[in-house]
Amino acid sequence: MLVSATEMLKKAKEGHYAVGQFNINNLEWTKSILLTAQELNSPVILGVSEGAGKYMTGFKTVAAMVKAMDEELGITVPVALHLDHGTYEGCYKCIKAGFTSIMFDGSHYPIEENVAKTTELVNVAHNLGLSIEAEVGSIGGEEDGVIGAGECADPNECKMIADLGVDMLAAGIGNIHGKYPANWAGLSFETLDAVQQKTGAMPLVLHGGTGIPDDMIKKAIDLGVSKINVNTECQLVFQEATRAYIEAGKDLEGKGFDPRKLLAPGAQAICDKVKEKMELFGSVNKA
Ligand code: 13P
């Protein structure tokens, strides 16, 4: 059931668990995530970066595919189709295409400009029933060309953006997209705690979910994180399973070259990874 992320995140914040945002890249990704959410009776957010949207030929294609797949698979759990790290223009494209949720990443703008653009987009999104995420303090690393230095957010700026009425807030707390380097200092729980104190009931978002140790994830949820984004980890397990299939020569046996067979181990690996994360985040049976 396609919905905005507002209600599912409010419930998660109140219930002290987190909803997973899993980024999609193609039909197999989408199908694996939707089927797993349904099997586990968990709410879920499908994240689409601007790069992935372009790869799938545009946001209209993505919205049409997700809407149709949700219906054809008989998905009854709440599913939000969410733009990940959207530009100002990208937000409008997704609103027009039929997404149910957007993220406006204005973290690279001066705070005044971030406030002005976020204010405008909050009004537009809410008038149309969409949820909206904003960001303060950039997330480190690189995702689809969006590069951030990984600084910690200023809790006062977080309050300023939260007060604009966004539905969820991404605050940089030393998290990084992609694999974490060996010398990573870990999440700044001090920053997270300060942001939580300032923003109260606001569902906080933890980007860069890949590779964060389970105990840090649990502590972050305890401190007010209600949405956790995972992208790279699904890509890695898909790659590993596909490599194993080919290295075992299975693509050369019988009709093993059929794309439905060739991509099946990777698709199953995504199901297994999403299940593991939903169990860790505590969203199972919370639909
Ligand atoms: P990872 O690729 O590190 O899991 O981060 C995902 C993310 O934060 C998407 O916005």
Side-chain angles (χ1 to χ4, degrees):
M1 186 181 40
L2 266 186
V3 295
S4 85
T6 310
E7 278 310 308
M8 64 170 89
L9 292 179
K10 232 185 235 172
K11 273 175 69 181
K13 181 86 182 190
E14 283 162 15
H16 304 286
Y17 60 92
V19 178
Q21 171 189 307
F22 301 96
N23 284 46
I24 58 172
N25 290 288
N26 59 18
L27 181 142
E28 279 73 19
W29 243 258
T30 313
K31 182 176 165 188
S32 292
I33 297 164
L34 287 180
L35 286 175
T36 306
Q38 184 68 23
E39 185 196 329
L40 298 184
N41 194 32
S42 167
V44 73
I45 297 170
L46 302 177
V48 182
S49 67
E50 297 215 353
K54 199 167 163 195
Y55 173 76
M56 289 185 269
T57 75
F59 295 128
K60 268 168 74 176
T61 310
V62 177
M65 174 183 75
V66 170
K67 193 169 176 289
M69 200 186 285
D70 181 72
E71 278 173 31
E72 296 277 21
L73 292 176
I75 303 295
T76 55
V77 297
V79 177
L81 176 59
H82 183 71
L83 170 64
D84 190 26
H85 292 284
T87 57
Y88 179 78
E89 296 77 19
C91 284
Y92 278 104
K93 280 188 190 158
C94 286
I95 290 169
K96 219 170 137 197
F99 276 49
T100 62
S101 189
I102 51 169
M103 173 184 189
F104 170 59
D105 181 356
S107 60
H108 49 287
Y109 290 118
I111 187 69
E112 298 75 23
E113 195 171 350
N114 192 359
V115 167
K117 287 192 161 71
T118 302
T119 304
E120 176 189 318
L121 287 162
V122 165
N123 287 331
V124 175
H126 285 174
N127 279 334
L128 295 166
L130 278 75
S131 46
I132 176 165
E133 173 177 349
E135 178 169 328
V136 182
S138 74
I139 313 297
E142 186 265 347
E143 187 179 61
D144 270 343
V146 180
I147 297 166
E151 78 246 21
C152 283
D154 173 346
N156 290 317
E157 290 188 356
C158 290
K159 178 165 170 46
M160 213 187 286
I161 297 282
D163 287 348
L164 303 177
V166 298
D167 302 275
M168 55 202 122
L169 180 72
I173 55 166
N175 37 338
I176 298 172
H177 287 129
K179 293 179 182 174
Y180 283 85
N183 62 351
W184 177 51
L187 296 176
S188 168
F189 292 114
E190 206 186 336
T191 307
L192 178 57
D193 195 31
V195 171
Q196 154 70 29
Q197 302 282 341
K198 290 269 180 194
T199 57
M202 174 61 55
L204 301 175
V205 183
L206 181 62
H207 281 250
T210 294
I212 299 179
D214 289 3
D215 58 329
M216 281 197 204
I217 291 280
K218 287 190 173 144
K219 192 163 177 194
I221 294 172
D222 280 348
L223 288 171
V225 163
S226 318
K227 172 176 178 273
I228 302 176
N229 294 3
V230 178
N231 184 11
T232 308
E233 230 169 306
C234 288
Q235 299 185 359
L236 290 171
V237 293
F238 181 87
Q239 169 254 320
E240 277 160 21
T242 308
R243 170 181 285 272
Y245 181 88
I246 291 175
E247 281 188 345
K250 294 203 178 143
D251 56 320
L252 302 172
E253 290 168 13
K255 282 209 144 204
F257 57 83
D258 181 331
R260 283 167 281 179
K261 291 204 167 84
L262 184 65
L263 299 179
Q268 183 57 47
I270 293 173
C271 292
D272 297 344
K273 180 53 73 180
V274 170
K275 183 169 187 223
E276 177 194 313
K277 295 295 175 190
M278 286 179 166
E279 284 167 352
L280 174 65
F281 300 165
S283 70
V284 175
N285 283 327
K286 296 287 181 0

